[in-house]
Amino acid sequence: MSNAAKHEFKQKQNTSIRARLSHRRKAILSTMLSRWLDKRIPPASQHSLTLNSIFVLPTGFGWSFIIMALCLFLLGTNYQNNLMVLLSYILLSVMLLTLFYTHQNFARLAVKSQPIAPFHCHQTGTFQLAVIKHHAQQDKPCKGNLVARWFDTKEQVSFILNAEEKSQQRLSVPIKRSKRGKYPLPRLTLACDFPLGLFKCWTHLDFDADILVYPQPLQDEAIQVALPFDESEQSKNDTTTSSHSSTDFHSLSDYKAGEPLNRVVWKQVAKSGDWVVKQFSDPINEKYYLSVDNQIDVERAISILTHHVIEQSKNGNQFGLQYRSIDISPHYGDSHTHQCLKALSLLNLPQRTYPNDAFSAEAASS
Amino acid sequence: MIALLKPSALSSHQPISYFMLAIAYGVLLLTLTEELMIWVIILGLCAIVVRTVSFEKSSHLPNARTVNLLAVLSLFALTWFGFSIGLLNSMINLLAIAFALKLMLLDSKRDFHLLFCTSLFLIGCGFISALSVIAWLGYLGVLLFLLLSLAYYHGPVTPLKSSAKFVGTLVIQSIPIAALLFLVMPQLPPLWQMPTSKSQQTGLSDTVTPGDIASLAKSSELAFTATFPSASAVPEPQQRYWRALVMEDFNGKTWSIGQKRKQAERQLATMRRTPPLLLLANTAENEESDESGISETKSYEMIVEPTKQNWLFALELSAPNNGKNNITVNAQFDYTLRTSTPLMSKKSFYFDYLPNAPVTNPVGEFERQLNSLLPATSNQETRQWVSSLKQANPTPRGLASAIMNYFKQQGFTYTLEPNAMPVDPIDRFIFEEKAGFCAHYASAMTFALRAGGVPARMVTGYQGGEQLDDNVLQVRQYDAHAWVEALIDDTWVRYDPTSMVAPSRLQYGIEQALAEFGEKRTDGLLGDLREGALFTTLQNWMRQMDYQWSKWILGFDANKQKDLLEDLLGQITTKKMTAVFLATLSIVGVILLVYFFPIQRQSTLPKYHRIYLNALSAIEKHSGVERQYLSPREYLNKVSSHLNENTQKILSEMTLLFIESSYSREGIGDDKAKVTLKMKHHNRALKKSLRQ
Amino acid sequence: MFDEAGNPQQLTLSDNAMRLDIEEILQALGEKIIGKQHQLKLALTCLLSNGHLLIEDLPGMGKTTLSHALSQVFGLQYSRIQFTSDLLPSDMLGVNIFHTGEADTDKQFTFRHGPIFSQVVLADELNRASPKTQSALLEAMEERQVSIDGTTHSLPSPFFVIATQNPSSQSGTYPLPESQLDRFFMRISLGYPEWDAEKAMLKQSNASTALSQILDEGSLTALQKSVDDVHASDALINYILMLVNESRSNSAYPNPLSPRASRALLQGAKAWAFISNKAFATPDDVQAVFTAITAHRLTSSSQHQGTGFDNSTYARESAGETLSKKLLESIDPLAA
């Protein structure tokens, strides 16, 4: 290695070290920030904003308003025009008062998180937030335009809070994730500039909730997934499932002697004298076990299985799931589907590294 | 019931807020007629119309290309006219044009905010020319309206009425804070020279063609107000000569300030020679210190209407008191006064009146030569007449009185409407017309004196003044006057030829003087109306208001501020000033507290109740047992085990007293004080017991 | 330790006599229903406030015993109506019957009084009756009179209804709607007795003997009158108003308290103060009766809507109690 090359190499190393250092510094900073926020605004499913949880600063417009007031002051002084000076003082006082009004308004906001429905990755989930009554400010609600943004993204959505509205107002904030798994819900930044847009109040709220992101469904006909259910097992399970078989109402039919009395529609009997019984449909058409060959790439396999789970569930079939460590016996219904999808989304999750962990690991290695 | 809010970016109030902004802009345009060029106003009004037409649909708005084209055109036009209207007005015009163009394209929050700030600045510009109370209230109204449009914009579902209520409250709340700032914040002198507009200079001009002052006489606008410390300090009407400009250059028609004089003043200034007026002032001060008491009566304050010029007038002779003036006033060697910046606003100036001081000739031969110059050939008749007079009266004084006598005896009349005298005006005036205004007389006499070898010059200014109060004189534009100074024995002596013709001019003012010659200053119905009693009362009242406004708001300066604070606090020291600033901060804090944290309900509770609560909180702190919602009795039962015997006893007594006073049929009865006292006593004992 | 000493007011002589009566009554009732002193006091409060009582309990807890004992002690005329799903309003209120006598004058309608025409009515298992019958009873309770075929018949005075309700999940019951529940002055539930109390009860020999009458008819009215004389200061009334307003302004309370409830609170507090031998009511008295008076009024309608079955009654009851406790704890009596 020539000297020049050595030098270059060294420089490269230096820059990479510097980059890593700056990355580290950022990581430390963000950890510190999140710790500080955790202390200041502790996680809860419901937040009533208080003095401690609100940050406030002038907006860009607010700054230009101040600059305008100062310009008027200078102009007034140079022309020795007291009216201009007085105008600038009034503008500054308006600014000062607006600080309090903005804060007062925002401190009336109280929100409560709604349970968040799981969604597939690369899809947009919605996080619903109910505007509730503030425990200390019962009579007056928060007004104005509420801007919501996730702590880790730039995209923002804004909502108009209606003070006159009698019903409960709900905001739905879209959320996106590109990988399956279970995530803690990031802090939600809510901001409001009511009443004059001179100041912006904001807060970062942690709703102490997790989001479950299902895998992305993938259609691939080439791979055999659905296996017919084993006959011997079916006969064993038959009795247990039949009790469920009569829950879905299907139609009414005439009463035949010997039918159970609890199915008689007594209302109809009392009205017209006709004896009518409820008929229930049997939702189980076919039963399957869903499974894929372990040779296929895990993520791909999970996606394919996800697709099939959704399909089977749509068709009302009874299905089970067997893949690697997952073993779910056949069943049907929404909760069953959810169980299958949850198992798929949590399967073989790589150990998630947090910024401080990354730092310590790095520190240990170096 | 649940209302799911859809994300939305647009406010439904947008069009109306835009419209309101446009209206505010329209009002501003129409009040700024003095500064704005007519085509700019028309452009602005067109923009408002465009905005109004497209109230519902933004598709009617002109596209960006059209507006850009318009912008380029307007920019050209503005540079074209810009030279004639001065830098300041160009700036205001530019702002107005930019506003108009942006208004047509207005479609985003950022633009709206930009236009809002621009409107604020335009309001500020409005105060350049409009300084009255009415203007102030009007612009405050515009400000309210602007804030309303802003509040309406930012409250997407707030009804207009509640926005209006909010804005009203906001402005009313901000006024005390602003007033406090106004009182306490330091009143700074001008920080740097600002551009002024040329077209709007008012009052006397720096050239006099006889007849000019007559046109001023038509105007009854206020020129300045002088406030004397007491009624006795007001000079006699004949003594009220307000000296402004000295005209030493004559070209046969027009008198003006000589170029040589200007150069000389500049040179003298660079040589750092002290003008005689300031020397006079210094000696006067020294004398005053010897015989104190008179000094008080000699200083006075003048509130000068904005002239947009540098020169200033004062009683003949007055020395500026620059220790008090916010704008520095420089004295010149011809005993005139100049301010360091043009007067753009009503401002107070402070002077010391030196009634008997002579106007000396400080620069020797220079002035004598300058004031002996005559145009080579003109007004030959006058020259001959003067030489004949000179033979009869060889002394300068004699010549001067001969000329004065001539005006008195030859049937001269005083009129505002003399005939035009284009050729040899002085000859024609003296020998043919024999009717004219003060400038004619002054011009003629100066010319005559110079022709007779006596150095003389014309002085313009104001003469007279109307008494508003016992100690307040108001001088209006129609009091403009011109008189003559002749250099006799190295001293400039004042001669007023007008007083020979119309003696009442000095004593009773111009109206009376004209009346004697069967003329009226103003014509028509309005003039008759002015004489009505009601009108006079009303006018007086308005003048009083305007005077107070000028004195306390417009003329409020560092000096008045100091006086006010001294009245309140006595001698001002640095320590005290710090205290004043801290106090201001805390007062603002208190005002905010009052606004935002309404008084707690607890204060309505009776005294004994509060003492009891105080005791309970002390107990809570001591024992760690919180009361929460428990009634007094239950809390006593609960907390007893945590307290020592003595405290227990005192607390149970207090509880008993409280329950009896609050809930029993007899209640607290008549002996309120007794119960309170008892409770206080118990409380003290309790605290003591807790400390052990 | 404080209660007696803390009362400086001297009761008058007649009040003293009444005081003795009340102690005697409580003692007598206590012999019948052992270990439930608080509930007995509440029941007595209700009676003295001239309000109706709702007892919600499982069978065999002593609901009937309590009501019977109360009527016996006060020497009041007592009747019991067992509510069933086929009980008709006329079975309870009475009917007009046509007399078929010989003489023309005998041939006329006469009113046969139903069991409701008693001073103490035990409406047993009220929730078993059809809504029609329930509402007939509740109307009679409110109006203190009965209208049948256009004729109005006044109910006796004093008139005191003790209704019992069975919270267990049994089919064929009709839970009372809130609007009707408001008409009951208070709701109590006796609950299981303590170990010692139950032991004493089991050991008791004379369980079935009737109680002797302690008061006569007129003295109950006199007692009720003296309850009205108990003083309620402005501070106390403010406290009640604050409680009531809190329930109205806070959305946590789906069924805010009505003015009838606030009147009941004041009356209950006075009666409780009277029973506790005090000449004026204090926040303690309000707090003592608060849950019993408000719990059944605060229950949310949505909490048992749509289920159709009565198994939510227990949940409802506990929800009501929780709300009532929460409301009580949210207001500081000293803030008024």
Side-chain angles (χ1 to χ4, degrees):
Chain A
M1 207 184 270
S2 72
N3 258 357
K6 253 187 190 172
H7 184 73
E8 198 176 304
F9 174 74
K10 224 175 186 179
Q11 231 174 8
K12 243 185 202 170
Q13 214 174 14
N14 270 349
T15 48
S16 77
I17 286 171
R18 214 170 296 146
R20 217 187 296 164
L21 272 176
S22 79
H23 185 77
R24 245 187 236 177
R25 208 169 295 140
K26 258 184 204 165
I28 294 170
L29 273 179
S30 76
T31 327
M32 273 168 67
L33 179 66
S34 74
R35 269 187 203 152
W36 181 74
L37 277 174
D38 279 344
K39 215 185 263 175
R40 200 166 172 89
I41 316 170
S45 68
Q46 182 176 334
H47 290 273
S48 281
L49 298 187
T50 59
L51 200 65
N52 284 338
S53 47
I54 297 178
F55 308 94
V56 60
L57 267 185
T59 54
F61 172 50
W63 286 116
S64 38
F65 189 87
I66 294 176
I67 290 169
M68 185 52 62
L70 292 180
C71 279
L72 281 172
F73 178 78
L74 284 179
L75 199 70
T77 305
N78 278 337
Y79 283 135
Q80 289 291 300
N81 190 323
N82 277 346
L83 294 188
M84 279 191 218
V85 173
L86 202 53
L87 178 69
S88 82
Y89 288 156
I90 286 182
L91 294 183
L92 287 177
S93 319
V94 163
M95 189 76 192
L96 181 68
L97 287 167
T98 312
L99 165 69
F100 285 83
Y101 275 113
T102 314
H103 187 276
Q104 193 184 41
N105 174 61
F106 199 51
R108 288 175 185 148
L109 184 69
V111 285
K112 188 180 179 181
S113 68
Q114 304 294 316
I116 179 164
F119 57 96
H120 294 276
C121 62
H122 295 297
Q123 277 185 349
T124 308
T126 50
F127 171 64
Q128 282 205 348
L129 203 58
V131 179
I132 55 173
K133 274 195 174 171
H134 195 284
H135 65 79
Q137 311 269 349
Q138 296 288 346
D139 46 342
K140 283 183 179 166
C142 175
K143 294 189 232 172
N145 228 359
L146 197 66
V147 177
R149 178 175 70 79
W150 294 108
F151 198 54
D152 50 1
T153 58
K154 286 271 178 280
E155 295 157 52
Q156 53 183 37
V157 276
S158 73
F159 307 91
I160 293 169
L161 292 178
N162 194 346
E164 307 298 314
E165 187 82 60
K166 287 281 177 291
S167 57
Q168 194 185 48
Q169 301 180 77
R170 281 197 183 173
L171 326 171
S172 58
V173 187
I175 183 165
K176 279 181 184 166
R177 280 288 175 273
S178 57
K179 280 188 181 145
R180 69 187 169 88
K182 195 174 187 178
Y183 300 88
L185 191 69
R187 279 185 180 267
L188 184 70
T189 305
L190 291 174
C192 180
D193 62 359
F194 187 83
L196 291 182
L198 292 171
F199 282 94
K200 185 177 130 184
C201 273
W202 75 93
T203 182
H204 306 291
L205 300 179
D206 188 337
F207 289 99
D208 200 17
D210 286 324
I211 37 175
L212 184 64
V213 181
Y214 292 155
Q216 191 179 20
L218 178 74
Q219 198 171 359
D220 193 336
E221 298 300 336
I223 296 168
Q224 180 64 38
V225 174
L227 300 173
F229 190 61
D230 187 66
E231 280 303 321
S232 59
E233 268 186 70
Q234 189 180 4
S235 60
K236 193 178 78 192
N237 277 11
D238 216 18
T239 46
T240 56
T241 51
S242 66
S243 63
H244 293 274
S245 67
S246 52
T247 48
D248 279 7
F249 176 71
H250 180 251
S251 64
L252 291 174
S253 67
D254 287 343
Y255 176 75
K256 293 180 208 86
E259 279 187 308
L261 277 175
N262 65 355
R263 287 194 177 186
V264 173
V265 187
W266 293 104
K267 263 190 189 167
Q268 197 68 22
V269 178
K271 243 188 219 168
S272 57
D274 295 334
W275 283 61
V276 179
V277 271
K278 290 178 192 164
Q279 288 293 316
F280 294 91
S281 68
D282 192 344
I284 301 126
N285 304 329
E286 290 167 83
K287 296 177 184 178
Y288 293 101
Y289 250 116
L290 304 177
S291 183
V292 251
D293 194 354
N294 278 4
Q295 300 293 317
I296 304 170
D297 174 58
V298 180
E299 288 302 318
R300 190 174 156 76
I302 286 173
S303 288
I304 292 168
L305 282 170
T306 307
H307 171 73
H308 281 274
V309 166
I310 296 167
E311 284 299 308
Q312 297 294 341
S313 169
K314 224 184 263 171
N315 296 340
N317 291 342
Q318 206 167 8
F319 62 91
L321 191 63
Q322 266 179 343
Y323 179 68
R324 290 182 187 247
S325 58
I326 306 173
D327 187 0
I328 298 169
S329 53
H331 201 22
Y332 65 94
D334 282 349
S335 65
H336 176 67
T337 312
H338 171 68
Q339 195 192 346
C340 293
L341 289 173
K342 185 178 175 184
L344 284 173
S345 51
L346 297 179
L347 182 67
N348 283 359
L349 267 190
Q351 205 62 46
R352 201 176 293 123
T353 51
Y354 291 97
N356 47 349
D357 294 344
F359 173 66
S360 58
E362 227 175 295
S365 70
S366 61
Chain B
M1 211 175 19
I2 288 160
L4 190 61
L5 298 181
K6 295 270 158 48
S8 61
L10 287 181
S11 143
S12 57
H13 288 175
Q14 234 169 8
I16 297 178
S17 330
Y18 290 167
F19 182 59
M20 282 159 70
L21 185 69
I23 289 177
Y25 173 58
V27 173
L28 285 175
L29 276 184
L30 295 177
T31 55
L32 286 170
T33 43
E34 236 173 276
E35 285 84 2
L36 295 179
M37 288 178 281
I38 191 77
W39 63 271
V40 175
I41 294 180
I42 290 169
L43 178 70
L45 292 177
C46 287
I48 293 167
V49 169
V50 167
R51 185 34 77 183
T52 318
V53 167
S54 59
F55 186 65
E56 285 300 321
K57 284 185 217 157
S58 55
S59 58
H60 291 286
L61 290 174
N63 60 20
R65 194 184 292 169
T66 323
V67 175
N68 283 344
L69 193 69
L70 256 175
V72 171
L73 282 176
S74 325
L75 217 60
F76 271 120
L78 193 64
T79 25
W80 180 260
F81 290 111
F83 293 103
S84 61
I85 58 172
L87 189 57
L88 177 69
N89 278 6
S90 302
M91 264 171 48
I92 298 174
N93 277 293
L94 185 67
L95 269 184
I97 292 167
F99 194 112
L101 298 177
K102 199 79 210 172
L103 186 66
M104 288 192 258
L105 287 180
L106 175 57
D107 205 25
S108 72
K109 193 171 172 175
R110 209 170 152 267
D111 290 351
F112 182 74
H113 287 161
L114 191 75
L115 288 188
F116 181 83
C117 285
T118 315
S119 325
L120 291 184
F121 199 80
L122 283 178
I123 291 182
C125 293
F127 288 133
I128 292 177
S129 56
L131 293 166
S132 66
V133 193
I134 309 286
W136 166 249
L137 290 177
Y139 280 124
L140 201 63
V142 176
L143 176 67
L144 263 166
F145 198 69
L146 277 171
L147 283 173
L148 177 60
S149 82
L150 187 67
Y152 199 55
Y153 185 89
H154 281 277
V157 286
T158 318
L160 191 61
K161 208 171 150 190
S162 59
S163 284
K165 202 174 143 197
F166 164 73
V167 169
T169 325
L170 183 70
V171 170
I172 287 170
Q173 286 180 338
S174 72
I175 282 174
I177 302 179
L180 197 67
L181 286 175
F182 186 66
L183 282 182
V184 174
M185 287 292 273
Q187 285 274 342
L188 303 175
L191 301 175
W192 62 82
Q193 181 87 42
M194 293 295 283
T196 55
S197 47
K198 287 176 186 165
S199 61
Q200 297 153 20
Q201 298 175 342
T202 55
L204 299 169
S205 76
D206 49 4
T207 59
V208 173
T209 311
D212 273 4
I213 289 178
S215 69
L216 264 186
K218 303 266 185 208
S219 160
S220 52
E221 264 180 44
L222 195 65
F224 57 88
T225 310
T227 311
F228 293 88
S230 65
S232 60
V234 180
E236 290 301 304
Q238 296 90 331
Q239 295 303 311
R240 292 176 196 159
Y241 279 92
W242 310 88
R243 191 183 160 94
L245 295 166
V246 172
M247 312 275 177
E248 293 173 315
D249 195 43
F250 184 57
N251 66 359
K253 274 182 192 167
T254 303
W255 289 91
S256 58
I257 301 167
Q259 283 303 319
K260 284 183 184 159
R261 163 64 71 181
K262 283 181 186 166
Q263 279 170 15
E265 291 287 352
R266 242 172 276 143
Q267 276 174 14
L268 288 165
T270 49
M271 286 159 67
R272 295 184 181 280
R273 280 188 52 183
T274 317
L277 197 54
L278 294 187
L279 288 173
L280 263 178
N282 291 342
T283 52
E285 252 173 50
N286 293 339
E287 280 166 27
E288 276 160 20
S289 57
D290 298 339
E291 35 183 322
S292 58
I294 311 167
S295 68
E296 294 274 317
T297 60
K298 285 188 176 173
S299 62
Y300 64 98
E301 178 196 344
M302 274 177 53
I303 303 163
V304 181
E305 298 289 311
T307 56
K308 277 118 185 153
Q309 315 214 50
N310 280 81
W311 47 258
L312 195 63
F313 23 69
L315 269 180
E316 196 170 76
L317 286 171
S318 295
N321 188 345
N322 278 334
K324 286 178 167 185
N325 290 337
N326 241 28
I327 299 176
T328 315
V329 179
N330 300 313
Q332 296 205 311
F333 287 83
D334 57 0
Y335 290 81
T336 55
L337 301 163
R338 294 284 186 282
T339 54
S340 53
T341 58
L343 300 181
M344 295 301 286
S345 169
K346 262 193 201 181
K347 214 61 213 175
S348 284
F349 290 93
Y350 303 88
F351 294 99
D352 292 323
Y353 181 35
L354 314 160
N356 298 319
V359 182
T360 55
N361 177 16
V363 275
E365 257 338 270
F366 167 74
E367 279 196 349
R368 183 179 291 278
Q369 283 172 10
L370 188 65
N371 290 301
S372 303
L373 295 176
L374 280 178
T377 55
S378 64
N379 302 313
Q380 289 303 329
E381 235 178 297
T382 313
R383 289 175 203 239
Q384 284 164 14
W385 167 65
V386 171
S387 57
S388 63
L389 269 183
K390 173 110 185 172
Q391 281 167 3
N393 308 285
T395 60
R397 266 180 216 282
L399 181 64
S401 31
I403 297 171
M404 297 281 273
N405 275 331
Y406 178 79
F407 288 134
K408 195 174 183 177
Q409 289 154 6
Q410 295 296 317
F412 278 79
T413 54
Y414 187 67
T415 173
L416 281 185
E417 288 152 343
N419 294 327
M421 295 165 253
V423 185
D424 286 346
I426 293 172
D427 281 1
R428 275 202 63 186
F429 171 69
I430 294 180
F431 303 109
E432 289 171 34
E433 300 287 339
K434 292 190 177 179
F437 195 58
C438 57
H440 292 96
Y441 291 100
S443 165
M445 183 165 172
T446 315
F447 185 90
L449 282 173
R450 283 189 184 185
V454 181
R457 59 190 182 185
M458 191 204 250
V459 179
T460 58
Y462 296 90
Q463 200 284 323
E466 209 177 333
Q467 279 202 325
L468 185 71
D469 275 336
D470 284 345
N471 61 333
V472 179
L473 281 183
Q474 280 198 321
V475 177
R476 298 180 176 273
Q477 293 299 352
Y478 58 67
D479 289 320
H481 194 51
W483 59 94
V484 180
E485 273 178 0
L487 187 63
I488 297 165
D489 302 334
D490 241 21
T491 302
W492 290 98
V493 182
R494 181 175 68 212
Y495 289 96
D496 190 350
T498 318
S499 66
M500 294 291 111
V501 183
S504 52
R505 170 70 182 81
L506 302 190
Q507 188 74 40
Y508 304 109
I510 189 167
E511 308 246 359
Q512 182 69 33
L514 285 172
E516 283 174 13
F517 292 96
E519 254 186 65
K520 263 186 187 163
R521 196 175 58 78
T522 48
D523 312 310
L525 192 67
L526 207 66
D528 297 334
L529 200 73
R530 273 167 206 279
E531 285 155 22
L534 180 71
F535 188 85
T536 319
T537 331
L538 208 68
Q539 201 181 30
N540 237 7
W541 191 76
M542 290 292 285
R543 281 179 183 177
Q544 274 292 350
M545 190 175 73
D546 199 53
Y547 169 65
Q548 297 299 340
W549 174 256
S550 305
K551 190 170 159 79
W552 293 110
I553 304 292
L554 298 169
F556 190 80
D557 52 18
N559 183 48
K560 289 220 175 74
Q561 195 172 36
K562 196 170 142 253
D563 285 351
L564 194 76
L565 290 178
E566 272 179 358
D567 277 354
L568 292 174
L569 309 165
Q571 196 62 42
I572 297 288
T573 58
T574 336
K575 225 185 222 173
K576 263 187 194 166
M577 276 325 281
T578 331
V580 165
F581 276 106
L582 289 180
T584 314
L585 279 184
S586 47
I587 290 172
V588 170
V590 167
I591 290 175
L592 291 174
L593 269 180
V594 170
Y595 289 161
F596 292 98
F597 300 94
I599 301 146
Q600 298 286 307
R601 195 192 288 186
Q602 208 184 59
S603 60
T604 61
L605 294 175
K607 192 87 193 277
Y608 76 91
H609 194 136
R610 272 178 285 160
I611 299 171
Y612 180 62
L613 284 180
N614 175 282
L616 283 187
S617 66
I619 293 273
E620 275 182 337
K621 219 183 223 171
H622 179 82
S623 64
V625 181
E626 282 185 40
R627 186 175 63 82
Q628 290 161 328
Y629 68 98
L630 290 183
S631 69
R633 197 176 297 226
E634 271 176 38
Y635 183 63
L636 178 67
N637 289 340
K638 191 175 169 188
V639 83
S640 280
S641 54
H642 297 81
L643 303 173
N644 62 30
E645 209 165 305
N646 190 29
T647 322
Q648 243 181 65
K649 200 173 136 246
I650 299 168
L651 185 64
S652 75
E653 263 173 56
M654 282 181 93
T655 309
L656 192 66
L657 181 64
F658 174 77
I659 290 175
E660 215 181 299
S661 315
S662 283
Y663 302 113
S664 76
R665 190 182 299 276
E666 285 75 23
I668 190 157
D670 297 328
D671 42 24
K672 219 174 238 175
K674 209 168 136 196
V675 170
T676 311
L677 204 70
K678 240 184 189 169
M679 203 57 123
K680 245 183 209 163
H681 178 75
H682 281 318
N683 194 16
R684 228 171 287 136
L686 185 87
K687 295 271 167 73
K688 203 169 151 197
S689 159
L690 281 180
R691 246 176 272 129
Q692 282 166 3
Chain C
M1 67 161 229
F2 177 78
D3 248 312
E4 301 304 321
N7 196 344
Q9 300 287 326
Q10 287 302 309
L11 294 172
T12 58
L13 200 64
S14 73
D15 280 344
N16 254 337
M18 285 180 183
R19 168 84 203 128
L20 285 177
D21 288 344
I22 283 166
E23 264 172 12
E24 210 173 327
I25 289 165
L26 282 174
Q27 205 175 357
L29 289 173
E31 275 169 23
K32 265 295 193 211
I33 295 148
I34 300 163
K36 297 284 169 202
Q37 205 62 28
H38 186 72
Q39 279 87 341
L40 290 177
K41 268 178 99 173
L42 282 174
L44 196 57
T45 305
C46 187
L47 185 58
L48 291 181
S49 307
N50 206 10
H52 306 290
L53 182 66
L54 178 66
I55 305 179
E56 202 156 89
D57 239 327
L58 291 166
M61 294 294 203
K63 292 170 292 197
T64 320
T65 319
L66 172 65
S67 53
H68 207 161
L70 270 176
S71 63
Q72 278 174 346
V73 162
F74 282 96
L76 299 173
Q77 189 190 343
Y78 171 80
S79 74
R80 171 183 172 151
I81 310 170
Q82 179 66 46
F83 279 69
T84 54
S85 57
D86 52 3
L87 184 81
L88 295 173
S90 56
D91 296 345
M92 179 179 69
L93 303 176
V95 281
N96 280 320
I97 290 172
F98 191 67
H99 273 265
T100 49
E102 320 277 280
D104 270 3
T105 48
D106 288 349
K107 286 181 180 170
Q108 59 180 0
F109 281 101
T110 54
F111 182 65
R112 168 77 67 83
H113 289 273
I116 199 168
F117 287 87
S118 292
Q119 286 169 317
V120 175
V121 176
L122 174 64
D124 216 359
E125 297 193 87
L126 180 61
N127 54 343
R128 276 184 182 281
S130 63
K132 203 173 174 182
T133 315
Q134 284 179 1
S135 69
L137 173 69
L138 293 161
E139 211 179 305
M141 276 162 54
E142 186 61 22
E143 315 268 326
R144 291 176 193 269
Q145 62 186 25
V146 172
S147 289
I148 289 160
D149 295 341
T151 331
T152 306
H153 307 273
S154 296
L155 289 169
S157 173
F159 178 66
F160 182 50
V161 173
I162 303 176
T164 72
Q165 206 175 350
N166 206 327
S168 61
S169 58
Q170 294 178 6
S171 50
T173 58
Y174 304 88
L176 291 169
E178 287 81 35
S179 53
Q180 313 264 9
L181 279 174
D182 195 28
R183 300 200 176 162
F184 285 101
F185 185 84
M186 72 172 51
R187 181 183 74 180
I188 60 174
S189 85
L190 295 168
Y192 294 109
E194 301 278 309
W195 179 280
D196 290 341
E198 195 160 2
K199 194 172 178 185
M201 186 192 86
L202 290 176
K203 278 173 138 182
Q204 215 169 35
S205 51
N206 56 347
S208 56
T209 52
L211 286 171
S212 56
Q213 181 180 343
I214 296 170
L215 292 174
D216 50 7
E217 211 177 289
S219 56
L220 177 60
T221 324
L223 281 177
Q224 285 176 344
K225 221 168 142 46
S226 0
V227 166
D228 286 340
D229 285 343
V230 170
H231 178 69
S233 70
D234 266 10
L236 185 87
I237 290 171
N238 282 343
Y239 177 46
I240 290 172
L241 286 177
M242 273 161 65
L243 284 165
V244 172
N245 273 332
E246 172 68 11
S247 82
R248 290 171 194 167
S249 61
N250 193 332
S251 62
Y253 306 104
N255 262 353
L257 293 176
S258 62
R260 194 197 313 226
S262 49
R263 187 190 286 271
L265 274 175
L266 180 61
Q267 193 65 28
K270 280 180 171 182
W272 187 270
F274 181 74
I275 290 172
S276 316
N277 191 24
K278 292 191 290 185
F280 55 88
T282 63
D284 303 89
D285 304 314
V286 178
Q287 293 185 351
V289 297
F290 189 76
T291 309
I293 290 180
T294 59
H296 64 291
R297 301 173 204 253
L298 285 169
T299 328
S300 150
S301 55
S302 63
Q303 271 165 319
H304 71 287
Q305 223 170 34
T307 59
F309 298 104
D310 207 13
N311 58 1
S312 65
T313 312
Y314 248 154
R316 218 169 94 198
E317 183 183 340
S318 62
E321 245 128 59
T322 317
L323 282 176
S324 171
K325 256 205 186 87
K326 191 180 151 200
L327 179 55
L328 188 62
E329 284 170 15
S330 63
I331 298 295
D332 178 7
L334 291 189

